Amino acid sequence: MKKSLPAEELDRKFDAGEDISEYLDFDNTRPLNREKRVNVDLSVWMLNALDREAERLNISRQAVIKTMLDAQLRARGVVPA
């Protein structure tokens, strides 16, 4: 069983850079946002448009795609479980 500590004290230790691992239960953790690689064929005009948007925002093409997909899924009420 892991040691117990009030949240405020745990926050203080964390903010101070202290090791708080003795208070964390690593046996019952799971990844929050697992990723899976997919391949998508896109038209050249789409790639060009994505690249222009990436340059405008100063982010990668992949970040543009993820941001746009996220916005569209949230707008449609399709949210991750």
Side-chain angles (χ1 to χ4, degrees), residues 32-46:
L32 295 177
N33 290 313
R34 290 183 278 191
E35 292 188 359
K36 186 171 182 176
R37 185 173 300 270
V38 297
N39 294 315
V40 179
D41 295 327
L42 300 173
S43 301
V44 172
W45 73 264
M46 287 183 180

Side-chain angles (χ1 to χ4, degrees), residues 23-81:
Y23 303 102
L24 305 177
D25 182 4
F26 294 106
D27 294 333
N28 293 310
T29 61
R30 61 181 172 78
L32 295 177
N33 290 313
R34 290 183 278 191
E35 292 188 359
K36 186 171 182 176
R37 185 173 300 270
V38 297
N39 294 315
V40 179
D41 295 327
L42 300 173
S43 301
V44 172
W45 73 264
M46 287 183 180
L47 287 175
N48 291 336
L50 289 168
D51 288 342
R52 284 191 305 274
E53 188 67 1
E55 185 174 338
R56 185 182 74 79
L57 296 171
N58 196 30
I59 60 177
S60 69
R61 180 195 292 161
Q62 181 175 344
V64 170
I65 294 169
K66 286 181 176 183
T67 301
M68 289 180 167
L69 284 172
D70 179 75
Q72 287 299 311
L73 291 171
R74 289 179 189 278
R76 287 168 170 69
V78 182
V79 294

Side-chain angles (χ1 to χ4, degrees), residues 4-15 18 20 23:
S4 180
L5 193 67
E8 296 80 16
E9 181 64 13
L10 187 67
D11 287 345
R12 187 200 63 73
K13 287 180 173 286
F14 178 81
D15 291 341
E18 296 180 34
I20 61 168
Y23 303 102

